[in-house]
Amino acid sequence: MSQPELLAPAGDLEKLETALDYGADAVYLGGGRFGLRAAAGNFDLAGLAQACDLVHRRGRRLYLTLNAYLRPAEFPSLEAWLEELRPLDFDAYIVADPGVLATVHQLDPRRPLHLSTQANTTNAAAVDFWQQAGVSRVNLARELTLEEIRSIRAGSSAELEVFVHGAMCVAYSGRCLLSAALNNRSANSGACTQPCRWGYALVEQTRPGEYFPISEDERGSYILNSRDLCLIDHLPELLQAGVDSLKIEGRMKTIYYVAAITRVYRAALDAWIADPAGYRQDPAWRRELEMVSHRPYDRGFLFGSRDPLIHDADSHYRRSHDFVGKVLAVEDSGASLVVARNRFFPGETLELIGPGMRTASLVVADLKNEDGASLAVAQPNARLRLRLPSGARVGDLLRREKAGAALDGSQACQS
């Protein structure tokens, strides 16, 4: 690749447009079948055609997930689905199951293939094996260290992709059995119920009904839970190690998450591309990452000689800001059109964010509905007239700081 790629999630059409607006070079999405996020918005066949057109008109790339592990009875449906997909102009399929890979080769031999992290690729010999099987890019296992990534780059010519931000699974590179065991829904088929996020406690055999937390958290232990991955501090090392694509996890997340995270990594990646030798971390990037809903951040396994600290008893979601609205139209007359996503009131201070780390503050002085009638409160999904700061654009988002959540700039990512 001519320069490193920023790859963002697109759980539905609105998230896809947001990812493109906020700086993604490429997006990945699911078609509702044979991907690993069955509960995401996903796309039907017409939606996939629309997504391809939108992405390519903007000069970006689009990858479709087919990374579920299939049972024998599912292959006729896969073959029928591939025939329907074949006319569409995806830049690559993301696969994990060798049987799926072989079926794509048989029915759509010219389609580029990327290998999912689900395939657990941990060495250059495995990359070479998959490359000989027709894979052009490998998303490496999350368990690899930086030194191991360097070693794989030195021993292989395929494109290398790594996750840099988002949720981590307790299972090996996401190969989870827990959801199927506890809830009869297979994570490896795209139906994960996230039982690793549930609260757990100990029960002593002779004291049924008495629950003993493993930690001091009175709601129980989250020993199966993991911290969120955050590698914003380590982009230079990853890029110097030869990583071609930086991937953000989150097809189940909100458009606010996609916007905020994508714009931070876009800014960091652009700064490195412009001047690798003079690259400096901007403290604003770290603060921004704290403003979205997340579990405690950590670097995962990137530095294996140090405690990876992927598990934490205090692993509940936290965020400093609430997402309250999206700009639908900007009007020169003053009051622009906004759709509310959470309640907010006249007199509140909001922050407007846009691509390129553009940020502005405003006080809600006059709140009206779409027809111009005054309102006492903005309700979720209501369309509103609101005076926005100069420079506001369609697709900008509005957020509100939560009470007592002011940041000191040092909380975001442990390193």
Side-chain angles (χ1 to χ4, degrees):
M1 300 179 68
S2 58
Q3 64 183 34
E5 172 189 87
L6 181 61
L7 176 56
D12 57 30
L13 186 60
E14 185 181 32
K15 295 172 189 176
L16 184 151
E17 292 175 328
T18 300
L20 298 178
D21 288 344
Y22 284 76
D25 296 306
V27 294
Y28 63 101
L29 52 79
R33 305 173 70 183
F34 309 116
L36 287 182
R37 287 294 182 269
N42 292 316
F43 294 76
D44 59 16
L45 200 62
L48 291 172
Q50 183 181 3
C52 285
D53 180 64
L54 174 63
V55 170
H56 291 145
R57 276 194 285 110
R58 298 183 64 167
R60 317 291 177 84
R61 295 176 289 277
L62 181 65
Y63 311 138
L64 179 69
T65 60
L66 294 172
N67 56 339
Y69 284 84
L70 272 58
R71 304 296 178 89
E74 295 178 292
F75 276 86
S77 295
L78 172 67
E79 293 168 3
W81 183 231
L82 289 171
E83 290 291 352
E84 292 184 276
L85 294 173
R86 186 158 54 176
L88 301 182
D89 190 22
F90 299 109
D91 292 280
Y93 289 150
I94 301 173
V95 302
D97 185 332
V100 174
L101 186 154
T103 304
V104 173
H105 269 320
Q106 179 183 3
L107 298 179
D108 197 357
R110 296 183 180 178
R111 186 79 65 177
L113 292 173
H114 295 176
L115 192 69
S116 169
T117 191
Q118 296 286 115
N120 315 134
T121 307
T122 59
N123 57 75
V127 173
D128 183 61
F129 169 85
W130 289 113
Q131 195 171 12
Q132 291 185 49
V135 167
S136 61
R137 177 188 295 186
V138 174
N139 186 317
L140 297 173
R142 288 181 174 94
E143 293 77 16
L144 290 173
T145 68
L146 183 63
E147 186 55 42
E148 289 167 336
I149 293 171
R150 290 193 189 102
S151 174
I152 292 171
R153 173 74 292 160
S156 61
S157 59
E159 292 178 6
L160 300 182
E161 179 180 286
V162 299
F163 277 100
V164 293
H165 198 94
M168 295 186 287
C169 297
V170 296
Y172 196 78
S173 279
R175 295 281 292 275
C176 174
L177 298 176
L178 194 61
S179 181
L182 295 184
N183 218 20
N184 199 33
R185 290 175 58 182
S186 171
N188 299 322
S189 297
C192 182
T193 55
Q194 296 192 324
C196 57
R197 313 293 186 241
W198 302 348
Y200 294 88
L202 289 174
V203 178
E204 200 277 322
Q205 187 174 11
T206 65
R207 296 176 175 82
E210 295 186 40
Y211 298 93
F212 301 93
I214 299 170
S215 74
E216 62 275 6
D217 184 344
E218 70 280 1
R219 288 179 288 182
S221 169
Y222 284 73
I223 56 171
L224 294 174
N225 206 352
S226 66
R227 298 186 182 192
D228 278 359
L229 184 66
C230 173
L231 298 183
I232 191 66
D233 292 343
H234 304 293
L235 290 197
E237 294 107 309
L238 288 168
L239 296 167
Q240 289 162 3
V243 170
D244 298 289
S245 180
L246 307 173
K247 189 171 187 178
I248 299 168
E249 184 275 338
R251 281 195 288 143
M252 303 286 287
K253 304 287 190 177
T254 66
I255 63 165
Y256 171 55
Y257 176 95
V258 173
I261 303 302
T262 301
R263 77 177 192 149
V264 166
Y265 282 87
R266 177 77 269 157
L269 184 55
D270 284 349
W272 187 87
I273 291 171
D275 184 9
Y279 177 88
R280 294 292 183 270
Q281 182 94 356
D282 187 338
W285 303 339
R286 296 168 61 93
R287 290 195 297 270
E288 181 76 9
L289 296 177
E290 197 71 20
M291 296 181 190
V292 300
S293 179
H294 65 283
R295 292 184 296 277
Y297 286 131
D298 197 67
R299 63 188 174 272
F301 294 89
L302 195 64
F303 299 95
S305 61
R306 298 158 61 184
D307 181 5
L309 291 176
I310 64 168
H311 303 292
D312 192 341
D314 180 22
S315 56
H316 307 297
Y317 282 99
R318 73 277 310 273
R319 67 181 185 278
S320 68
H321 287 63
D322 291 320
F323 170 40
V324 299
K326 179 181 179 181
V327 179
L328 300 180
V330 177
E331 301 177 4
D332 294 335
S333 59
S336 297
L337 185 62
V338 170
V339 59
R341 292 298 174 90
N342 278 294
R343 290 206 312 168
F344 62 93
F345 298 85
E348 288 194 302
T349 298
L350 304 182
E351 195 171 50
L352 180 137
I353 69 168
M357 299 301 294
R358 182 165 44 83
T359 306
S361 181
L362 68 144
V363 175
V364 182
D366 189 20
L367 192 57
K368 298 180 182 296
N369 67 14
E370 193 171 5
D371 298 323
S374 294
L375 296 172
V377 58
Q379 297 287 2
N381 302 316
R383 293 163 69 94
L384 314 163
R385 295 290 177 184
L386 191 64
R387 292 188 179 277
L388 300 176
S390 61
R393 303 175 193 170
V394 173
D396 286 355
L397 305 182
L398 294 166
R399 65 188 177 198
R400 174 186 56 213
E401 185 177 334
K402 299 178 69 176
L407 298 176
D408 64 10
S410 64
Q411 306 172 43
C413 304
Q414 299 186 20
S415 55

